[in-house]
Amino acid sequence: MSTPDNGVRPTDGPVVALVPAAGRGVRLGESTPKAFVPVGGTPMIRLAVEGLIASGAVDRIIVMVPTELVDSAVALLPPAGSVQVVVGGAERIDSVRAGIAAAPDAAYFLVHDAARALTPPDLIVRVATELRAGRPAVVPGLPVADTIKAVDAAGAVTGTPERARLRAIQTPQGFAAELLRSAYATEGIEATDDAGLVERLGVGVHTIPGDPLAFKITTPLDLRLADAILDGAGIGPAVAP
């Protein structure tokens, strides 16, 4: 793969995965914080970390959880020396910032939602490969199947974007480490994903084909689907306990 002509050149150094897992997941309707809800009998947080380990593309994993669940997370996660648990924040953006601070030596970051627990290791590999080839920012995405309408506050349609140009973005989202550090350097910023913060810096974000199995487990229906997939297909990386 040739180096993209974007002014960023490949560098040596560790790929560090950041897994924000401090959210409460209100829409899932569970009493347990979402990342700790089991899918097919295994907590999402462990499935997500196992997928990162199975990819072989990540040198270290930092998981950000609520203060009161640090010990629980350590007990749940694979006992690999490459997995570190730190305290996250009230908002996702605070958790990612805490993860960035815990990895000053990172050359690249992969930010990966614990709720995308069934993400195939191959997708993780493809994102990391693009980063090491010189892409400053890489996100996986799928074509949008539904027609999308833009609406105003009253619910009136204001426009219909061209569906062929839309993508539903997944994780892991990959970034050159200094770029992500710069994107998070300003306090009070908001975005629905990490790539949105990078876009504000004027840096191009490259998309690669995503994977249907990397869907985000957000609602009870998503959880039922994930359970059915694991129960019916035996999907999930094998990591020794």
Side-chain angles (χ1 to χ4, degrees):
M1 182 183 299
S2 61
T3 300
D5 185 15
N6 50 32
V8 176
R9 293 295 176 262
T11 61
D12 292 327
V15 175
V16 177
L18 306 179
V19 183
R24 295 296 170 180
V26 175
R27 285 176 289 177
L28 194 59
E30 299 282 336
S31 58
T32 305
K34 181 165 67 173
F36 293 81
V37 172
V39 177
T42 303
M44 290 187 213
I45 188 173
R46 176 159 180 137
L47 288 173
V49 168
E50 286 179 346
L52 289 164
I53 294 172
S55 75
V58 174
D59 298 294
R60 196 158 79 254
I61 301 166
I62 300 176
V63 184
M64 297 80 77
V65 303
T67 302
E68 68 275 16
L69 291 174
V70 169
D71 291 341
S72 297
V74 170
L76 282 173
L77 294 175
S82 59
V83 180
Q84 177 184 0
V85 178
V86 302
V87 176
E91 303 294 336
R92 183 183 185 279
I93 199 166
D94 301 316
S95 291
V96 175
R97 189 177 276 120
I100 291 172
D105 62 328
Y108 306 97
F109 283 118
L110 299 184
V111 186
H112 187 42
D113 295 330
R116 298 184 188 273
L118 306 189
T119 300
D122 173 69
L123 178 58
I124 299 165
V125 171
R126 289 191 283 116
V127 173
T129 298
E130 291 284 343
L131 283 178
R132 288 201 178 277
R135 299 278 188 194
V138 182
V139 298
L142 292 176
V144 176
D146 297 321
T147 295
I148 304 298
K149 299 288 186 183
V151 300
D152 62 19
V157 172
T158 60
T160 305
E162 184 182 347
R163 187 170 61 185
R165 297 175 62 86
L166 300 176
R167 294 293 182 272
I169 300 303
Q170 303 176 317
T171 71
Q173 297 188 0
F175 307 94
E178 285 307 313
L179 175 59
L180 193 64
R181 291 186 185 108
S182 296
Y184 271 86
T186 303
E187 296 290 338
I189 52 176
E190 293 184 8
T192 57
D193 72 344
D194 304 281
L197 298 179
V198 167
E199 291 163 29
R200 294 181 184 183
L201 299 179
V203 176
V205 176
H206 180 69
T207 63
I208 64 171
D211 192 293
L213 286 175
F215 69 95
K216 191 174 184 179
I217 302 171
T218 302
T219 68
L221 181 59
D222 298 330
L223 184 57
R224 290 179 63 184
L225 174 60
D227 279 329
I229 290 171
L230 284 183
D231 290 344
I235 293 173
V239 175

